Amino acid sequence: MEDIVGGWWDRLITRVAYQGHPEAAVTLAEVERTAPVFFRAMGGDAALTVRSAVGTEHGARRRWLERIAGTGDRVELAWQDARSLYLPDVIDHFPDRALNRQLYFWLMALAAEARAGTDWLTANREATARCLMQMPGLAALYRRLVAAHLKTRPDPARLHGAEAAWEEAIRAALASPNETSALPAGQAACQPVPLWLHPTPPLSGQAEAVPRQDGEAEAEEAARREARKRRRYRAQRVAEDTRKNGMLMVFRAESLFTWDEYVKVNRHNDEDEEDNAAAADDMNRLSVSADATTRASRLRFDLDLPAAAYDDTPLGPGLLLPEWHWKQRRLVEDHVRLVPMLPRDARPAGLPERLRAPARRLRRQFQALAPERTRRRGESSGPDIDLDRVVRFLAECGSGVRVGEPGLYQSWPPGERSLACLLLADLSLSTESWVGDAGQVIDVIRDSLLLFGEALSATGDAFGVYGFSSIRRQEVRFQVLKDFSERFDDTVRGRMLAIRPGYYTRMGAAIRQATRVLESQPAHRRLLLIVSDGKPNDLDHYEGRYGVEDTRMAVREARAAGLLPFCVTVDSEAGEYLPYLFGRNGYTVVTNVRRLPQVLTSLYATLTR
Amino acid sequence: MNAPVSDIVRPLADVPFYQPVAEECTLFEAAWRQQLPVLIKGPTGCGKTRFVAHMAARLSLPLFTVSCHDDLTAADLVGRHLIGAGQTVWCDGPLTRAVREGGICYLDEVVEARKDTTVVLHPLTDDRRILPIERTGEELVAPPGFMLVVSYNPGYQHVLKTLKPSTRQRFVALSFDFPAPEVELPVLMSETGIDAGRARQLVVLAGQLRRLQGYDLEESVSTRLLVYAAKLMMAGLPPGLACRTAIVEPLSDDVDTVAALLAVVDTQFDQG
Ligand SMILES: Nc1ncnc2c1ncn2[C@@H]1O[C@H](COP(=O)(O)OP(=O)(O)OP(=O)(O)O)[C@@H](O)[C@H]1O
Ligand SMILES: [Mg+2]
């Protein structure tokens, strides 16, 4: 099999004297920011991230191709798997720059329409037909793309046997995607079709022969795809972490899979037990068999726990909080110990240079927002006349109804808004993952907290900022970054700068504590803003349903206490569980993590408008 | 009072066009017959205002519309004394007029009004159906024709602004959403006279853009914006430009999002 494949590609790649048009090249970077939005609008899976087919993180593919080809020639095609949509890094197929750019959009539309289950040619032809039927504008573009592409394809009359037959079939499918036709017999190396998706999406450097006609191989492939899907790697979390190689990366166990979804984990069967310290201990070091049906490729990874010396400073022995046990349908009292902490090594610090300009802008915007909303009518003194009341007063004087103590002025007393906001940020280990050149999620969260503080201190609204992570029920770490009573000053900024990702996400307990803190604020409207990057999870049963149910209960308790819980998440799969936790209008998803700071502050302005 | 609708339905020419989506017309009429106040919730531009105008005309009722805002006072609804030539005159507010004339009082975006303003609605929305006017000492009893209708947009931007449960629970509620393609298509055609082909392209475009709601757009394209785009096309503008002006730019200020939305428009209206 390997031989056939290698030979196929070899002939393919070396035979094709690739003629690009570098002067008209368009790079993925140029469409990178518009691509995810466009792909979603086409109906593409919102959870997929868009990636380069040969980006640094996928260097393996390029090396593999180059190895096979024995040259540096590239054939870049698009494909998608359960995590990502891969697009060519550069498109220079056509002499016309606009056409090269549009090819990116065509490929995304096609990928969104692609269905598994048939052979490569039929799948591409059918997906094309579906696209053209729904999108007349795209159909016009497609005709231009095909016309330009056909000029670069070999003339079937000059090919022989299966090769000629395949070339004919491809041309026919390109020209009239609505017409079914029988697949040619036999195998042949065809010139790649840049308008179509990859015939053999590279899977960790393996490929299969194409076109495939063997039903069994088909089924096997489908099963494998299913398995991959079930594992549900989270693209954002399987981070571009350069510190470790290949699959042996260090990150939170939950980010690889969810227990419920993946069964081949060697662990104790402890679903129903109250607590099982041994099992939990075991889980600090997990052995996972990646796929039992294929070669026993076993992954092993350690959880990245910070050394004790770097640990944060606990404030007192901690508080006991209840937790909701969904199977028993009761609140288990004193089940969780929450420890308020200060980040260690926090030194007073000014706002980092790069945030100064945005901070100034935000302060101006938020100052402008504040006074307008605090107008108070019917004052006995103030800078403006309350015309309504003056008219009424005069009218009443005239009609002799009654004349009380008239308040004929309007004023803008400070702090009249009567709004308190508590920001609770997830600082669990998953925030360590990378978001391209923006650094890690935690960096974006740090910037967000700092800018949020700047903006809110301009409004004069009361606010507090806290962070949390957890290690089982014995230790929910509640980081006090800015207490309600503290000013937003360099001490606070220093603490925000010192936050580090670590451990797990026992969200319920953190929300309960935040509720207690916010409840004691006298404001009329109290907003509990939660910034998260994933599902609730922790080691001791707090994964899957248990954690979700406890968090949901904690959110309901917050509501019952008269608070307004709202969640901002950077998890693109959040649509699966957040509506259940926060209600349909109780959350928002930030798809571009880098925009979190802007989104968070403008969200605050919108919510409190 | 229990006359079947057909007796009082006006000639269709006078009734503003409204394309029913589900059972909302029947429900509204039943509520009116039973003297129940109605709450309509739904995203902006999905036809709430049009629906109320349509029903008011169908039932031959005068319609008094108030757009609520946070400076709206009870006096703005009920009425106030004005100074005339040497004397003061009492002037009914829209709510009072609707009660006196037995029409529909429609409070648009009711969550924008302050809570102390909405409490004046309470005695009108329980079985007493009365409106006490403090300043004149009057107490009006609403005639059978009177109906109170309120609407709001429950999007997440408004989580801090909700109705008090005690206000909410006085209404029967209808939930609106953007209409399905087969409803939106005739709406576009009859509102603007656009041909079926381009109307369909606009409706499919709307479907594509509505997938972005909650991800890239706070709220996605409304029927109202589609109507605007169709009108610009009818005025002779090229479709791409019409969509850009009426749909893409109103939806987002973010440069990248705008670029992506334009690419989506291109999938429906080719610009060569
Ligand atoms: N079912 C429908 N039948 C006829 N026209 C409709 C319908 N739905 C929407 N429209 C069109 O959409 C436009 C906007 O509707 P309307 O003004 O009623 O929205 P709305 O829901 O009141 O919005 P907002 O919450 O912003 O006030 C109408 O002018 C009309 O052209
Ligand atoms: Mg309206």
Side-chain angles (χ1 to χ4, degrees), chain A residues 33 40-43 134-138 144 375 388 392 395-396 564 585 595 607, chain B residues 71 80 83 88 135 154 156 159-160 201 208 211 216 254 256 259 266-268 270:
Chain A
R33 286 159 176 273
R40 274 190 287 279
M42 293 298 104
Q134 282 291 308
M135 296 177 264
L138 205 61
R144 289 196 295 277
R375 167 147 58 151
D388 249 13
R392 187 155 85 215
E396 280 169 359
L564 290 149
N585 293 317
R595 288 182 47 80
L607 289 181
Chain B
D71 268 351
R80 52 164 53 93
I83 306 172
T88 61
R135 303 218 164 257
Y156 79 75
V159 279
L160 284 180
Q201 281 163 283
Q208 295 173 316
R211 291 182 183 131
D216 309 284
D254 182 64
D256 298 325
D266 286 346
T267 69
Q268 292 302 331
D270 181 50

mmCIF file of all heavy atoms in Angstrom, chain A residues 33 40-43 134-138 144 375 388 392 395-396 564 585 595 607, chain B residues 71 80 83 88 135 154 156 159-160 201 208 211 216 254 256 259 266-268 270:
data_model
loop_
_atom_site.group_PDB
_atom_site.id
_atom_site.type_symbol
_atom_site.label_atom_id
_atom_site.label_comp_id
_atom_site.label_asym_id
_atom_site.label_seq_id
_atom_site.Cartn_x
_atom_site.Cartn_y
_atom_site.Cartn_z
ATOM 1 N N ARG A 33 -8.194 36.654 8.099
ATOM 2 C CA ARG A 33 -9.134 37.231 9.047
ATOM 3 C C ARG A 33 -10.579 37.142 8.569
ATOM 4 O O ARG A 33 -11.505 37.099 9.365
ATOM 5 C CB ARG A 33 -8.782 38.680 9.306
ATOM 6 C CG ARG A 33 -7.564 38.797 10.176
ATOM 7 C CD ARG A 33 -6.925 40.144 10.014
ATOM 8 N NE ARG A 33 -5.816 40.275 10.927
ATOM 9 C CZ ARG A 33 -5.946 40.702 12.172
ATOM 10 N NH1 ARG A 33 -7.115 41.058 12.629
ATOM 11 N NH2 ARG A 33 -4.902 40.767 12.961
ATOM 12 N N ARG A 40 -18.087 30.098 8.061
ATOM 13 C CA ARG A 40 -19.294 29.878 8.876
ATOM 14 C C ARG A 40 -20.546 30.279 8.120
ATOM 15 O O ARG A 40 -21.557 29.597 8.172
ATOM 16 C CB ARG A 40 -19.211 30.663 10.181
ATOM 17 C CG ARG A 40 -18.486 29.931 11.275
ATOM 18 C CD ARG A 40 -18.642 30.648 12.603
ATOM 19 N NE ARG A 40 -17.864 31.863 12.677
ATOM 20 C CZ ARG A 40 -16.573 31.901 12.951
ATOM 21 N NH1 ARG A 40 -15.925 30.781 13.184
ATOM 22 N NH2 ARG A 40 -15.925 33.038 13.003
ATOM 23 N N ALA A 41 -20.459 31.396 7.396
ATOM 24 C CA ALA A 41 -21.635 31.845 6.644
ATOM 25 C C ALA A 41 -22.016 30.826 5.577
ATOM 26 O O ALA A 41 -23.185 30.695 5.221
ATOM 27 C CB ALA A 41 -21.376 33.204 6.010
ATOM 28 N N MET A 42 -21.037 30.101 5.073
ATOM 29 C CA MET A 42 -21.311 29.083 4.064
ATOM 30 C C MET A 42 -21.918 27.831 4.689
ATOM 31 O O MET A 42 -22.247 26.882 3.990
ATOM 32 C CB MET A 42 -20.015 28.698 3.335
ATOM 33 C CG MET A 42 -19.424 29.782 2.481
ATOM 34 S SD MET A 42 -20.518 30.286 1.136
ATOM 35 C CE MET A 42 -21.120 31.835 1.779
ATOM 36 N N GLY A 43 -22.001 27.811 6.017
ATOM 37 C CA GLY A 43 -22.544 26.645 6.686
ATOM 38 C C GLY A 43 -21.472 25.711 7.198
ATOM 39 O O GLY A 43 -21.764 24.607 7.636
ATOM 40 N N GLN A 134 -27.253 26.904 -5.005
ATOM 41 C CA GLN A 134 -27.669 27.869 -3.991
ATOM 42 C C GLN A 134 -27.113 29.269 -4.231
ATOM 43 O O GLN A 134 -27.633 30.238 -3.719
ATOM 44 C CB GLN A 134 -27.206 27.390 -2.602
ATOM 45 C CG GLN A 134 -28.074 26.310 -2.014
ATOM 46 C CD GLN A 134 -29.442 26.860 -1.654
ATOM 47 O OE1 GLN A 134 -29.558 27.859 -0.955
ATOM 48 N NE2 GLN A 134 -30.485 26.228 -2.161
ATOM 49 N N MET A 135 -25.998 29.359 -4.964
ATOM 50 C CA MET A 135 -25.292 30.634 -5.004
ATOM 51 C C MET A 135 -24.962 31.068 -6.426
ATOM 52 O O MET A 135 -23.915 30.721 -6.972
ATOM 53 C CB MET A 135 -24.014 30.531 -4.163
ATOM 54 C CG MET A 135 -24.338 30.289 -2.699
ATOM 55 S SD MET A 135 -22.899 30.085 -1.662
ATOM 56 C CE MET A 135 -22.757 28.311 -1.611
ATOM 57 N N PRO A 136 -25.845 31.828 -7.023
ATOM 58 C CA PRO A 136 -25.637 32.257 -8.405
ATOM 59 C C PRO A 136 -24.363 33.090 -8.587
ATOM 60 O O PRO A 136 -23.700 32.982 -9.622
ATOM 61 C CB PRO A 136 -26.852 33.118 -8.716
ATOM 62 C CG PRO A 136 -27.745 33.059 -7.551
ATOM 63 C CD PRO A 136 -27.105 32.313 -6.452
ATOM 64 N N GLY A 137 -24.024 33.890 -7.588
ATOM 65 C CA GLY A 137 -22.820 34.705 -7.700
ATOM 66 C C GLY A 137 -21.591 33.813 -7.754
ATOM 67 O O GLY A 137 -20.678 34.007 -8.561
ATOM 68 N N LEU A 138 -21.629 32.804 -6.910
ATOM 69 C CA LEU A 138 -20.517 31.874 -6.861
ATOM 70 C C LEU A 138 -20.443 31.066 -8.162
ATOM 71 O O LEU A 138 -19.367 30.719 -8.630
ATOM 72 C CB LEU A 138 -20.719 30.942 -5.665
ATOM 73 C CG LEU A 138 -19.472 30.305 -5.086
ATOM 74 C CD1 LEU A 138 -18.533 31.367 -4.573
ATOM 75 C CD2 LEU A 138 -19.848 29.355 -3.959
ATOM 76 N N ARG A 144 -15.599 31.119 -14.257
ATOM 77 C CA ARG A 144 -14.312 31.763 -14.574
ATOM 78 C C ARG A 144 -13.136 30.901 -14.097
ATOM 79 O O ARG A 144 -12.139 30.747 -14.799
ATOM 80 C CB ARG A 144 -14.231 33.149 -13.918
ATOM 81 C CG ARG A 144 -15.154 34.179 -14.560
ATOM 82 C CD ARG A 144 -14.758 35.598 -14.155
ATOM 83 N NE ARG A 144 -14.916 35.874 -12.742
ATOM 84 C CZ ARG A 144 -16.063 36.220 -12.176
ATOM 85 N NH1 ARG A 144 -17.158 36.316 -12.928
ATOM 86 N NH2 ARG A 144 -16.146 36.462 -10.891
ATOM 87 N N ARG A 375 -28.532 61.112 34.793
ATOM 88 C CA ARG A 375 -29.395 62.279 34.980
ATOM 89 C C ARG A 375 -30.439 62.018 36.064
ATOM 90 O O ARG A 375 -31.067 60.966 36.102
ATOM 91 C CB ARG A 375 -30.099 62.586 33.669
ATOM 92 C CG ARG A 375 -31.232 63.572 33.867
ATOM 93 C CD ARG A 375 -31.384 64.428 32.685
ATOM 94 N NE ARG A 375 -31.629 63.644 31.486
ATOM 95 C CZ ARG A 375 -32.328 64.141 30.465
ATOM 96 N NH1 ARG A 375 -32.796 65.367 30.518
ATOM 97 N NH2 ARG A 375 -32.515 63.405 29.411
ATOM 98 N N ASP A 388 -40.063 69.884 31.863
ATOM 99 C CA ASP A 388 -41.324 69.203 32.103
ATOM 100 C C ASP A 388 -41.978 69.647 33.403
ATOM 101 O O ASP A 388 -43.162 69.944 33.471
ATOM 102 C CB ASP A 388 -41.035 67.712 32.212
ATOM 103 C CG ASP A 388 -41.615 66.986 31.034
ATOM 104 O OD1 ASP A 388 -41.997 67.679 30.081
ATOM 105 O OD2 ASP A 388 -41.662 65.738 31.095
ATOM 106 N N ARG A 392 -45.340 71.831 34.322
ATOM 107 C CA ARG A 392 -46.371 71.266 35.192
ATOM 108 C C ARG A 392 -46.615 72.183 36.372
ATOM 109 O O ARG A 392 -47.756 72.436 36.762
ATOM 110 C CB ARG A 392 -45.932 69.885 35.676
ATOM 111 C CG ARG A 392 -47.036 69.197 36.440
ATOM 112 C CD ARG A 392 -46.863 67.711 36.391
ATOM 113 N NE ARG A 392 -45.951 67.263 37.441
ATOM 114 C CZ ARG A 392 -45.107 66.251 37.296
ATOM 115 N NH1 ARG A 392 -45.006 65.638 36.146
ATOM 116 N NH2 ARG A 392 -44.348 65.880 38.283
ATOM 117 N N ALA A 395 -48.525 75.117 35.272
ATOM 118 C CA ALA A 395 -49.898 74.712 34.993
ATOM 119 C C ALA A 395 -50.682 74.533 36.277
ATOM 120 O O ALA A 395 -51.824 74.983 36.407
ATOM 121 C CB ALA A 395 -49.893 73.416 34.201
ATOM 122 N N GLU A 396 -50.051 73.899 37.241
ATOM 123 C CA GLU A 396 -50.750 73.661 38.495
ATOM 124 C C GLU A 396 -50.994 74.953 39.255
ATOM 125 O O GLU A 396 -52.032 75.132 39.878
ATOM 126 C CB GLU A 396 -49.961 72.645 39.332
ATOM 127 C CG GLU A 396 -50.232 71.231 38.841
ATOM 128 C CD GLU A 396 -49.296 70.196 39.445
ATOM 129 O OE1 GLU A 396 -48.417 70.591 40.235
ATOM 130 O OE2 GLU A 396 -49.461 69.013 39.113
ATOM 131 N N LEU A 564 -27.006 39.263 37.810
ATOM 132 C CA LEU A 564 -27.171 38.956 36.402
ATOM 133 C C LEU A 564 -25.915 38.268 35.889
ATOM 134 O O LEU A 564 -24.942 38.921 35.551
ATOM 135 C CB LEU A 564 -27.424 40.232 35.626
ATOM 136 C CG LEU A 564 -28.795 40.802 35.939
ATOM 137 C CD1 LEU A 564 -28.791 42.301 35.843
ATOM 138 C CD2 LEU A 564 -29.832 40.192 35.019
ATOM 139 N N ASN A 585 -29.651 33.778 25.966
ATOM 140 C CA ASN A 585 -29.166 35.150 25.873
ATOM 141 C C ASN A 585 -28.172 35.485 26.970
ATOM 142 O O ASN A 585 -27.914 36.650 27.241
ATOM 143 C CB ASN A 585 -30.327 36.127 25.918
ATOM 144 C CG ASN A 585 -31.190 35.992 24.690
ATOM 145 O OD1 ASN A 585 -30.677 35.865 23.589
ATOM 146 N ND2 ASN A 585 -32.494 35.979 24.877
ATOM 147 N N ARG A 595 -9.427 39.377 19.923
ATOM 148 C CA ARG A 595 -10.317 40.518 20.098
ATOM 149 C C ARG A 595 -10.988 40.552 21.461
ATOM 150 O O ARG A 595 -11.818 41.419 21.735
ATOM 151 C CB ARG A 595 -11.377 40.524 18.986
ATOM 152 C CG ARG A 595 -10.806 40.904 17.635
ATOM 153 C CD ARG A 595 -11.872 40.945 16.553
ATOM 154 N NE ARG A 595 -13.076 41.668 16.954
ATOM 155 C CZ ARG A 595 -13.185 42.983 16.945
ATOM 156 N NH1 ARG A 595 -12.171 43.707 16.553
ATOM 157 N NH2 ARG A 595 -14.290 43.552 17.330
ATOM 158 N N LEU A 607 -24.145 46.102 27.592
ATOM 159 C CA LEU A 607 -25.004 45.491 28.601
ATOM 160 C C LEU A 607 -25.553 46.529 29.568
ATOM 161 O O LEU A 607 -26.687 46.434 30.010
ATOM 162 C CB LEU A 607 -24.223 44.443 29.404
ATOM 163 C CG LEU A 607 -23.863 43.150 28.701
ATOM 164 C CD1 LEU A 607 -23.125 42.231 29.641
ATOM 165 C CD2 LEU A 607 -25.114 42.461 28.192
ATOM 166 N N ASP B 71 -36.095 57.822 29.388
ATOM 167 C CA ASP B 71 -36.585 59.056 29.996
ATOM 168 C C ASP B 71 -38.103 59.150 29.960
ATOM 169 O O ASP B 71 -38.681 60.157 30.349
ATOM 170 C CB ASP B 71 -35.997 60.279 29.270
ATOM 171 C CG ASP B 71 -34.710 60.739 29.938
ATOM 172 O OD1 ASP B 71 -34.408 60.220 31.036
ATOM 173 O OD2 ASP B 71 -34.016 61.587 29.366
ATOM 174 N N ARG B 80 -50.704 65.180 30.650
ATOM 175 C CA ARG B 80 -50.206 66.243 31.515
ATOM 176 C C ARG B 80 -50.972 67.531 31.259
ATOM 177 O O ARG B 80 -51.658 67.681 30.256
ATOM 178 C CB ARG B 80 -48.721 66.446 31.256
ATOM 179 C CG ARG B 80 -48.386 66.659 29.776
ATOM 180 C CD ARG B 80 -47.013 67.232 29.600
ATOM 181 N NE ARG B 80 -46.000 66.461 30.282
ATOM 182 C CZ ARG B 80 -45.282 65.478 29.725
ATOM 183 N NH1 ARG B 80 -45.481 65.182 28.459
ATOM 184 N NH2 ARG B 80 -44.376 64.835 30.411
ATOM 185 N N ILE B 83 -49.813 74.615 29.420
ATOM 186 C CA ILE B 83 -50.237 75.997 29.594
ATOM 187 C C ILE B 83 -50.735 76.532 28.265
ATOM 188 O O ILE B 83 -49.994 76.546 27.280
ATOM 189 C CB ILE B 83 -49.073 76.868 30.090
ATOM 190 C CG1 ILE B 83 -48.496 76.240 31.360
ATOM 191 C CG2 ILE B 83 -49.546 78.285 30.334
ATOM 192 C CD1 ILE B 83 -47.231 76.899 31.810
ATOM 193 N N THR B 88 -54.716 76.660 31.872
ATOM 194 C CA THR B 88 -54.052 75.374 31.698
ATOM 195 C C THR B 88 -55.042 74.365 31.140
ATOM 196 O O THR B 88 -56.230 74.395 31.455
ATOM 197 C CB THR B 88 -53.501 74.843 33.030
ATOM 198 O OG1 THR B 88 -54.590 74.664 33.916
ATOM 199 C CG2 THR B 88 -52.486 75.794 33.600
ATOM 200 N N ARG B 135 -53.628 63.023 38.362
ATOM 201 C CA ARG B 135 -53.611 64.479 38.300
ATOM 202 C C ARG B 135 -54.985 65.096 38.090
ATOM 203 O O ARG B 135 -55.206 66.238 38.459
ATOM 204 C CB ARG B 135 -52.663 64.959 37.205
ATOM 205 C CG ARG B 135 -51.279 64.452 37.407
ATOM 206 C CD ARG B 135 -50.229 65.469 37.055
ATOM 207 N NE ARG B 135 -48.965 65.028 37.626
ATOM 208 C CZ ARG B 135 -48.459 65.555 38.729
ATOM 209 N NH1 ARG B 135 -49.060 66.548 39.345
ATOM 210 N NH2 ARG B 135 -47.338 65.085 39.218
ATOM 211 N N PRO B 154 -35.430 40.387 22.905
ATOM 212 C CA PRO B 154 -34.783 39.713 24.040
ATOM 213 C C PRO B 154 -33.316 39.354 23.801
ATOM 214 O O PRO B 154 -32.778 38.525 24.496
ATOM 215 C CB PRO B 154 -35.625 38.461 24.218
ATOM 216 C CG PRO B 154 -36.156 38.173 22.868
ATOM 217 C CD PRO B 154 -36.206 39.458 22.088
ATOM 218 N N TYR B 156 -29.155 39.325 23.762
ATOM 219 C CA TYR B 156 -28.345 39.355 24.970
ATOM 220 C C TYR B 156 -27.904 40.754 25.362
ATOM 221 O O TYR B 156 -27.537 41.014 26.490
ATOM 222 C CB TYR B 156 -27.140 38.428 24.843
ATOM 223 C CG TYR B 156 -25.996 38.975 24.034
ATOM 224 C CD1 TYR B 156 -25.172 39.951 24.581
ATOM 225 C CD2 TYR B 156 -25.728 38.526 22.755
ATOM 226 C CE1 TYR B 156 -24.121 40.460 23.850
ATOM 227 C CE2 TYR B 156 -24.691 39.034 22.024
ATOM 228 C CZ TYR B 156 -23.885 40.006 22.570
ATOM 229 O OH TYR B 156 -22.849 40.511 21.856
ATOM 230 N N VAL B 159 -29.688 41.915 28.568
ATOM 231 C CA VAL B 159 -29.868 41.076 29.766
ATOM 232 C C VAL B 159 -30.113 41.895 31.020
ATOM 233 O O VAL B 159 -30.786 41.443 31.932
ATOM 234 C CB VAL B 159 -28.671 40.136 30.050
ATOM 235 C CG1 VAL B 159 -28.749 38.918 29.197
ATOM 236 C CG2 VAL B 159 -27.362 40.856 29.942
ATOM 237 N N LEU B 160 -29.556 43.085 31.080
ATOM 238 C CA LEU B 160 -29.755 43.883 32.287
ATOM 239 C C LEU B 160 -31.123 44.551 32.300
ATOM 240 O O LEU B 160 -31.532 45.112 33.284
ATOM 241 C CB LEU B 160 -28.667 44.952 32.414
ATOM 242 C CG LEU B 160 -27.303 44.456 32.876
ATOM 243 C CD1 LEU B 160 -26.328 45.599 32.956
ATOM 244 C CD2 LEU B 160 -27.410 43.791 34.230
ATOM 245 N N GLN B 201 -32.347 35.330 -4.148
ATOM 246 C CA GLN B 201 -30.927 35.512 -3.823
ATOM 247 C C GLN B 201 -30.769 36.253 -2.497
ATOM 248 O O GLN B 201 -29.925 35.912 -1.673
ATOM 249 C CB GLN B 201 -30.220 36.278 -4.951
ATOM 250 C CG GLN B 201 -29.883 35.382 -6.138
ATOM 251 C CD GLN B 201 -29.589 36.192 -7.381
ATOM 252 O OE1 GLN B 201 -30.508 36.693 -8.018
ATOM 253 N NE2 GLN B 201 -28.329 36.332 -7.726
ATOM 254 N N GLN B 208 -27.482 32.770 4.908
ATOM 255 C CA GLN B 208 -26.037 32.634 5.120
ATOM 256 C C GLN B 208 -25.575 33.563 6.234
ATOM 257 O O GLN B 208 -24.809 33.174 7.111
ATOM 258 C CB GLN B 208 -25.293 32.972 3.822
ATOM 259 C CG GLN B 208 -25.578 31.987 2.700
ATOM 260 C CD GLN B 208 -24.966 32.434 1.376
ATOM 261 O OE1 GLN B 208 -25.050 33.596 0.992
ATOM 262 N NE2 GLN B 208 -24.353 31.510 0.662
ATOM 263 N N ARG B 211 -26.364 32.653 9.893
ATOM 264 C CA ARG B 211 -25.513 31.647 10.552
ATOM 265 C C ARG B 211 -24.451 32.302 11.429
ATOM 266 O O ARG B 211 -23.849 31.657 12.260
ATOM 267 C CB ARG B 211 -24.794 30.803 9.508
ATOM 268 C CG ARG B 211 -25.707 29.887 8.733
ATOM 269 C CD ARG B 211 -24.867 29.070 7.758
ATOM 270 N NE ARG B 211 -25.712 28.215 6.941
ATOM 271 C CZ ARG B 211 -25.611 28.145 5.617
ATOM 272 N NH1 ARG B 211 -24.721 28.870 4.970
ATOM 273 N NH2 ARG B 211 -26.388 27.348 4.940
ATOM 274 N N ASP B 216 -20.057 36.045 14.912
ATOM 275 C CA ASP B 216 -19.358 37.195 14.368
ATOM 276 C C ASP B 216 -20.223 38.439 14.378
ATOM 277 O O ASP B 216 -19.737 39.545 14.247
ATOM 278 C CB ASP B 216 -18.917 36.879 12.947
ATOM 279 C CG ASP B 216 -18.175 35.558 12.893
ATOM 280 O OD1 ASP B 216 -17.022 35.531 13.296
ATOM 281 O OD2 ASP B 216 -18.792 34.551 12.507
ATOM 282 N N ASP B 254 -16.482 46.380 12.011
ATOM 283 C CA ASP B 254 -15.186 45.719 12.031
ATOM 284 C C ASP B 254 -14.735 45.437 10.595
ATOM 285 O O ASP B 254 -15.444 44.795 9.820
ATOM 286 C CB ASP B 254 -15.329 44.409 12.820
ATOM 287 C CG ASP B 254 -14.023 43.683 12.920
ATOM 288 O OD1 ASP B 254 -13.101 44.240 13.538
ATOM 289 O OD2 ASP B 254 -13.910 42.581 12.370
ATOM 290 N N ASP B 256 -12.561 43.510 9.156
ATOM 291 C CA ASP B 256 -12.446 42.126 8.703
ATOM 292 C C ASP B 256 -13.816 41.506 8.506
ATOM 293 O O ASP B 256 -14.052 40.775 7.536
ATOM 294 C CB ASP B 256 -11.656 41.300 9.720
ATOM 295 C CG ASP B 256 -10.243 41.826 9.883
ATOM 296 O OD1 ASP B 256 -9.684 42.292 8.877
ATOM 297 O OD2 ASP B 256 -9.716 41.795 11.007
ATOM 298 N N ALA B 259 -15.309 42.767 5.334
ATOM 299 C CA ALA B 259 -14.718 42.114 4.166
ATOM 300 C C ALA B 259 -15.305 40.723 3.970
ATOM 301 O O ALA B 259 -15.621 40.320 2.848
ATOM 302 C CB ALA B 259 -13.201 42.038 4.322
ATOM 303 N N ASP B 266 -20.943 38.311 -2.480
ATOM 304 C CA ASP B 266 -20.473 37.909 -3.812
ATOM 305 C C ASP B 266 -20.947 36.515 -4.202
ATOM 306 O O ASP B 266 -21.066 36.222 -5.389
ATOM 307 C CB ASP B 266 -18.938 37.939 -3.877
ATOM 308 C CG ASP B 266 -18.420 39.361 -3.944
ATOM 309 O OD1 ASP B 266 -19.234 40.274 -4.201
ATOM 310 O OD2 ASP B 266 -17.210 39.562 -3.741
ATOM 311 N N THR B 267 -21.186 35.662 -3.226
ATOM 312 C CA THR B 267 -21.648 34.317 -3.591
ATOM 313 C C THR B 267 -23.065 34.351 -4.149
ATOM 314 O O THR B 267 -23.495 33.414 -4.794
ATOM 315 C CB THR B 267 -21.614 33.332 -2.413
ATOM 316 O OG1 THR B 267 -22.621 33.703 -1.465
ATOM 317 C CG2 THR B 267 -20.253 33.296 -1.739
ATOM 318 N N GLN B 268 -23.781 35.440 -3.879
ATOM 319 C CA GLN B 268 -25.123 35.558 -4.450
ATOM 320 C C GLN B 268 -25.156 36.484 -5.653
ATOM 321 O O GLN B 268 -25.855 36.226 -6.620
ATOM 322 C CB GLN B 268 -26.115 36.058 -3.387
ATOM 323 C CG GLN B 268 -26.374 35.057 -2.278
ATOM 324 C CD GLN B 268 -26.917 33.742 -2.802
ATOM 325 O OE1 GLN B 268 -27.579 33.679 -3.827
ATOM 326 N NE2 GLN B 268 -26.603 32.665 -2.102
ATOM 327 N N ASP B 270 -22.809 38.183 -8.296
ATOM 328 C CA ASP B 270 -21.470 38.230 -8.859
ATOM 329 C C ASP B 270 -21.132 39.645 -9.313
ATOM 330 O O ASP B 270 -21.954 40.334 -9.899
ATOM 331 C CB ASP B 270 -21.395 37.278 -10.048
ATOM 332 C CG ASP B 270 -20.017 37.273 -10.668
ATOM 333 O OD1 ASP B 270 -19.053 37.116 -9.909
ATOM 334 O OD2 ASP B 270 -19.935 37.432 -11.888
#
